[in-house]
Amino acid sequence: MSAPTRARRDFAPGLLVLVGLAGVQLTACTGEAPPDPAPATEDAGGADEAPPRRARRRVPLAKRRDPPAGESGTVEPSTATESNAEEPDRRPPPVDAALSPRLAQLIEKLRAAKDHNTQNRLWNSASRAAKPEDRDALIGLLDDPDTWVRRVGIRALGRFASDDARALEAVLRVLDDDEQERLVRYGAFSAVGEQDLRAAIPILERIVAEHEMDTVRISALNSLSALEADGHEEAVLAGYPKTENLLVRRALIEALARIGTKRCFALLDRVASGESETNDPRKANARAQLRAAAERTKVRIERRLEASAGAAVAGATARATAPWWTPTPEQKAFAEESGWPLAIESSLGMKLALIPPGTFTMGSAPDEPDRGRDERPHEVTLTGAFYMAATETTWAQLDAFLPQGEKSDRVPASATWTDATSFCEWLGSREGDPERYRLPTEAEWEYACRAGTTTARWWGDGIDHGKHANVADRRHAKEMPAEIRATLSFADVDDGYPERAPVRSYPANPWGLFDTIGNLAEWCRDVDGPYPEGPVTDPTGPEEGKRRVIRGGSYSSELSKSRSAGRSAFFPASGATPTGFRVVAVRAPDGVK
């Protein structure tokens, strides 16, 4: 399977709910009719019988979006039938002057667009172009008569909701509005998980318990599981009725995988079994895949629990191995002095290079092109040596811990920070040393990425014709809609890959590490936060915070992120497609010194 195909598959779980928005779409995809809204009950092998659903909650008028002049409050423009009567005036109001010029331009184009593909592209571009100073105008867009424009408003506000009280209030209002169009409301569901909006938990619980539509309840469940809020599997086990819709059930399996407790097993069995017999080979195959997905999810949950319990595996040990690069004098000197091997290999065949202790300047010089405001240069001393994986963790390596159905040992895997951390714990536990492996601190990551260099990238300041890294280049830009290309920066080079590249496709840095710049962005252990003003020793980042640091940029990142000092951050339960990880080992294997 090609790398672009695999990358597109990474988006599949998040798209399942969107695919199931309409009964026609569900029938086309599964060959089944949409589920009957009447509640169904069954003998779930000891699980409680599903209670009847309550009537749909009516939202107070103050919380509803007033229908535009000339429209009925119960019939959307897209579903209204043609009539010989004179059409009401639905011309949109002029764009609010408070919008930034670029955003205002994109919204005007969006209003004028007629075909769905163009509308979708412009919606994407406008959502990305919004800035925090557009907040008040974006809140106003939530009352716009155009659904696409309202979708721009909610998606953009969702990006700011974790730091802005008024944006958060607007997102929660849309989330709690049962009369809101589904596509607009799904923007609020997405924001909850992406921005860790825990204030939404009571609303989500209400939707899971009461809403009459399976797809909406699944969206609420996905958002709850993304928040990693304890105890929500109880509500699911007790109250989620059986549905024969395969798309909905697969989405439910993904949500349970994120919750990840033993209590999810009963519902996994319930979701994957009990279908009526069918002679349709396509349906039978889809149901077999569903059962297999449920079994893989059980294994994933068990592996996470094993990592927490520290269960060792007989014969699983790390060992010394020959270096695959020409070690630097610093690496050789420390290896000779300490007795640590220059390279080790984990029980999964993962090779790690020795990173000697030292002092370096973290951050970027004030005159470095594309530098961020959060890259204050400061001196950092790392007093201990460690090993860092030569490559980003591959699908085959991750599959040994969390079965994904992907077995490639060359293609780097996407993962959440939570799964990456659990993987490190599990790998150490199976080798009898639960604390040997972990994610690198942000300081360790930049120190190893630089490998003694002081330029913007380990090979120099420029992109160098795409010879050293898989970055956002002409080939990737060609895959993007023109409207999105206009909002992003791309390197005027061709690095050979439009999306993720196989590991070791480009040269290693002086310390033997591949793809520290580009390919997939990489999780670090630290909470995101500002740098200190003076010298520090062995920093580990802020003690509290919501986001975790991401480093190195990816094949789709802004070029400013694809530098040794470039910084990003995301929420630990979120699995952005171009984000992976590499592990570090904090000590040599026993008996190899």
Side-chain angles (χ1 to χ4, degrees):
M1 182 181 295
S2 67
T5 301
R6 182 172 290 102
R8 286 191 293 271
R9 285 185 58 186
D10 292 338
F11 287 96
L15 291 175
L16 289 172
V17 172
L18 295 179
V19 172
L21 291 179
V24 174
Q25 291 171 301
L26 290 171
T27 303
C29 293
T30 66
E32 301 183 6
D36 193 320
T41 60
E42 64 166 336
D43 181 1
D48 292 338
E49 185 172 278
R53 298 180 184 175
R54 291 194 285 256
R56 185 175 186 175
R57 176 177 179 268
R58 302 298 296 177
V59 179
L61 288 175
K63 288 191 174 183
R64 295 188 201 161
R65 182 185 60 82
D66 293 333
E71 290 184 23
S72 165
T74 58
V75 179
E76 298 180 9
S78 59
T79 60
T81 58
E82 293 184 4
S83 171
N84 293 328
E86 183 179 351
E87 284 290 323
D89 183 3
R90 296 178 182 173
R91 290 175 296 178
V95 174
D96 194 313
L99 290 173
S100 57
R102 175 63 179 162
L103 179 56
Q105 181 185 40
L106 288 169
I107 288 178
E108 287 291 7
K109 290 182 178 180
L110 179 59
R111 294 190 195 281
K114 301 298 182 183
D115 68 281
H116 178 83
N117 287 337
T118 301
Q119 290 169 325
N120 193 58
R121 292 170 183 174
L122 288 167
W123 160 68
N124 243 316
S125 299
S127 302
R128 293 182 183 214
K131 300 177 180 179
E133 52 265 33
D134 292 319
R135 181 203 61 193
D136 290 342
L138 290 168
I139 292 174
L141 293 184
L142 297 180
D143 292 320
D144 196 275
D146 190 309
T147 298
W148 285 100
V149 174
R150 289 198 298 281
R151 292 181 66 192
V152 170
I154 190 61
R155 186 174 183 183
L157 286 167
R159 290 169 45 208
F160 312 134
S162 62
D163 300 316
D164 187 302
R166 287 201 62 198
L168 173 62
E169 180 183 1
V171 170
L172 296 181
R173 176 167 61 90
V174 171
L175 188 70
D176 200 30
D177 186 354
D178 285 345
E179 304 300 319
Q180 185 63 262
E181 288 89 344
R182 276 176 276 169
L183 286 175
V184 178
R185 200 177 191 187
Y186 285 136
F189 282 123
S190 298
V192 169
E194 292 172 0
Q195 303 297 321
D196 197 37
L197 306 181
R198 304 186 75 82
I201 288 177
I203 300 173
L204 296 171
E205 289 178 326
R206 192 270 300 172
I207 295 172
V208 169
E210 298 179 6
H211 206 281
E212 62 195 32
M213 295 187 63
D214 280 330
T215 51
V216 176
R217 299 174 79 200
I218 282 292
S219 294
L221 179 62
N222 281 333
S223 296
L224 278 173
S225 62
L227 293 173
E228 297 184 313
D230 294 336
H232 292 293
E233 71 275 19
E234 286 285 349
V236 178
L237 288 168
Y240 204 89
K242 176 183 175 182
T243 171
E244 287 291 326
N245 187 288
L246 297 182
L247 289 175
V248 173
R249 291 161 65 191
R250 184 174 289 275
L252 180 57
I253 287 174
E254 291 294 328
L256 292 169
R258 286 192 290 272
I259 293 175
T261 66
K262 280 277 190 180
R263 300 187 67 86
C264 296
F265 280 26
L267 188 56
L268 283 168
D269 288 335
R270 182 177 174 185
V271 169
S273 62
E275 315 94 338
S276 56
E277 294 297 324
T278 176
N279 294 321
D280 185 335
R282 191 160 59 93
K283 289 183 182 180
N285 181 60
R287 289 171 176 176
Q289 292 180 0
L290 193 73
R291 287 191 291 270
E295 292 303 315
R296 286 198 303 270
T297 298
K298 288 183 182 180
V299 175
R300 293 170 68 181
I301 294 173
E302 288 174 342
R303 294 287 167 78
R304 286 197 187 100
L305 297 175
E306 286 174 7
S308 300
V313 176
T317 58
R319 61 183 181 85
T321 190
W324 53 89
W325 78 105
T326 302
T328 64
E330 295 85 359
Q331 289 174 306
K332 290 180 179 178
F334 181 81
E336 292 173 0
E337 177 184 346
S338 65
W340 285 32
L342 286 163
I344 63 173
E345 184 174 339
S346 77
S347 57
L348 293 181
M350 183 183 293
K351 295 187 176 182
L352 297 89
L354 175 64
I355 309 298
T359 299
F360 76 111
T361 299
M362 187 174 182
S364 59
D367 59 350
E368 182 171 303
D370 296 326
R371 75 182 300 266
R373 291 178 295 179
D374 58 351
E375 298 173 12
R376 178 192 297 122
H378 59 291
E379 184 180 279
V380 172
T381 299
L382 300 177
T383 59
F386 57 95
Y387 291 93
M388 179 174 276
T391 68
E392 295 160 338
T393 304
T394 65
W395 282 117
Q397 292 161 351
L398 184 62
D399 189 80
F401 170 56
L402 299 177
Q404 308 283 322
E406 298 277 2
K407 302 293 185 181
S408 173
D409 61 356
R410 295 280 330 270
V411 180
S414 300
T416 66
W417 183 92
T418 303
D419 282 346
T421 301
S422 296
F423 174 89
C424 295
E425 295 173 354
W426 169 80
L427 180 58
S429 295
R430 79 191 301 268
E431 295 179 3
D433 187 354
E435 297 183 355
R436 173 178 293 153
Y437 300 102
R438 57 170 171 78
L439 293 179
T441 66
E442 186 177 15
E444 289 170 345
W445 189 96
E446 184 170 331
Y447 178 62
C449 174
R450 290 187 177 279
T453 66
T454 59
T455 48
R457 300 166 180 88
W458 63 262
W459 63 84
D461 287 320
I463 296 299
D464 194 22
H465 306 289
K467 296 178 181 178
H468 292 90
N470 179 20
V471 297
D473 65 339
R474 287 196 303 263
R475 190 175 293 239
H476 180 69
K478 189 176 180 180
E479 302 279 320
M480 305 291 287
E483 295 80 6
I484 297 179
R485 285 202 300 270
T487 67
L488 303 174
S489 64
F490 296 93
D492 190 20
V493 300
D494 186 344
D495 57 36
Y497 295 91
E499 296 186 356
R500 72 187 70 199
V503 297
R504 297 176 180 253
S505 294
Y506 303 91
N509 76 359
W511 285 349
L513 308 180
F514 299 89
D515 296 324
T516 52
I517 300 295
N519 216 14
L520 295 190
E522 299 175 16
W523 289 109
C524 292
R525 191 181 188 185
D526 301 25
V527 169
D528 182 40
Y531 282 157
E533 296 185 5
V536 290
T537 300
D538 296 327
T540 57
E543 293 185 1
E544 296 181 352
K546 295 180 178 180
R547 299 178 178 89
R548 296 287 176 168
V549 173
I550 297 174
R551 286 303 215 106
S554 73
Y555 62 78
S556 64
S557 298
E558 292 280 331
L559 292 180
S560 62
K561 305 302 181 185
S562 297
R563 298 178 298 113
S564 298
R567 308 179 74 200
S568 299
F570 212 47
F571 294 99
S574 299
T577 296
T579 307
F581 68 101
R582 70 178 76 215
V583 306
V584 301
V586 296
R587 48 183 163 269
D590 296 335
V592 302
K593 295 183 181 179

